[in-house]
């Protein structure tokens, strides 16, 4: 167990000793060792998660453990998911009402789609630039000769459902294999309608 590292991380996060119980320090230290991340990083993640509505340091530690195990049961490194969660503090704050476990589940599901939380956030921001997004959607529909409708994706993005919004975008715009068959103008229009760059779109493993 990296209990000492966890203790250091909690002191850095809260600025004092004794902000969390020794049980939480030990549990977070064990989580760090189990999933191959540092105790300091695990403690900082716990401190961030505990700021979410209805969460405590105890419930956040339990959520971290569940998410790590759930990721590994699906063939994904638990430490990688916990690190992704730790790097998404802005989206964590936006998703505050959903709770730590639900947030972690979204990170797992986005990872399985080949999408980083930061990319999903940019897609959502692009969708919510309504005028540009609707114009890009209409332009892409014309250039591709098929209907693209991202209204549902915009609704989901507005409600901070990044996972749902991303899934809806992919359902409409298709995967990277299809993208590679398009001409340059079509690629630009399709990426823009999805709130992405051409490079960001092409190198995602959507399938």
């Amino acid at each position: 167990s990296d209990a000492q590292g966890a203790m250091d991380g909690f002191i850095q996060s809260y600025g004092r000793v004794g902000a969390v119980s020794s049980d939480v320090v030990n549990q977070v230290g064990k989580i760090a060792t189990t999933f191959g991340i540092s105790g300091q990083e695990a403690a900082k993640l716990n401190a961030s998660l505990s700021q979410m509505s209805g969460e405590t340091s105890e419930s956040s530690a339990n959520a971290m453990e569940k998410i790590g195990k759930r990721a590994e049961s699906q063939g994904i490194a638990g430490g990688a998911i916990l690190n992704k969660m730790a790097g998404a503090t802005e989206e964590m704050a936006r998703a505050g009402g959903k709770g730590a476990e639900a947030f972690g589940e979204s990170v797992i599901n986005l990872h399985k789609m080949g999408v980083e939380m930061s990319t999903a956030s940019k897609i959502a921001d692009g969708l919510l630039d309504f005028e540009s997004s609707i114009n890009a959607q209409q332009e892409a529909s014309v250039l591709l000769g098929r209907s693209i409708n991202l209204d549902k994706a915009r609704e989901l993005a507005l409600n901070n459902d990044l996972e749902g919004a991303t899934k809806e975008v992919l359902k409409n715009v298709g995967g990277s294999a299809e993208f590679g068959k398009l001409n340059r103008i079509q690629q630009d229009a399709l990426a823009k309608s999805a709130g992405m760059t051409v490079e960001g779109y092409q190198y995602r493993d959507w399938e």
Side-chain angles (χ1 to χ4, degrees):
S1 168
D2 189 7
Q4 184 57 55
M7 175 64 80
D8 292 343
F10 281 122
I11 292 170
Q12 287 174 26
S13 297
Y14 292 107
R16 60 189 174 89
V17 177
V20 301
S21 70
S22 58
D23 286 345
V24 169
V25 172
N26 288 327
Q27 185 180 2
V28 170
K30 285 178 185 173
I31 289 167
T33 303
T34 300
F35 299 113
I37 63 174
S38 75
Q40 286 191 1
E41 286 303 313
K44 288 175 185 176
L45 172 57
N46 180 274
S48 296
L49 291 172
S50 66
Q51 300 304 308
M52 298 179 83
S53 179
E55 296 292 353
T56 63
S57 55
E58 289 82 6
S59 68
S60 297
N62 290 335
M64 288 167 64
E65 196 167 340
K66 284 180 186 174
I67 289 300
K69 287 178 178 174
R70 196 167 299 158
E72 302 218 321
S73 73
Q74 297 176 50
I76 304 164
I81 295 300
L82 294 177
N83 279 329
K84 284 174 189 282
M85 290 170 69
T89 49
E90 183 181 344
E91 289 312 321
M92 195 186 295
R94 289 180 185 273
K98 295 176 182 176
E101 196 173 338
F103 180 72
E105 190 69 49
S106 290
V107 174
I108 290 175
N109 290 335
L110 285 167
H111 177 87
K112 285 159 70 176
M113 288 184 229
V115 181
E116 297 292 332
M117 180 65 79
S118 58
T119 302
S121 184
K122 285 175 188 170
I123 290 173
D125 287 343
L127 289 167
L128 295 178
D129 181 356
F130 291 108
E131 188 175 348
S132 295
S133 177
I134 290 167
N135 287 340
Q137 171 187 306
Q138 291 171 341
E139 184 183 350
S141 294
V142 170
L143 287 168
L144 295 170
R146 63 179 173 85
S147 175
I148 292 175
N149 188 338
L150 299 175
D151 291 349
K152 180 67 175 173
R154 286 188 199 92
E155 180 188 334
L156 292 164
L158 192 59
N159 290 316
N160 283 321
D161 183 352
L162 298 189
E163 180 193 339
T166 302
K167 196 178 290 184
E168 190 66 24
V169 165
L170 301 187
K171 190 170 84 177
N172 269 274
V173 302
S176 54
E178 180 182 342
F179 187 80
K181 297 174 185 173
L182 304 177
N183 67 39
R184 190 180 185 87
I185 294 172
Q186 289 172 325
Q187 287 177 338
D188 285 344
L190 190 57
K192 191 176 175 185
S193 75
M196 299 183 69
T197 63
V198 169
E199 184 181 27
Y201 191 101
Q202 197 164 18
Y203 292 102
R204 293 288 161 197
D205 179 19
W206 300 122
E207 284 72 46

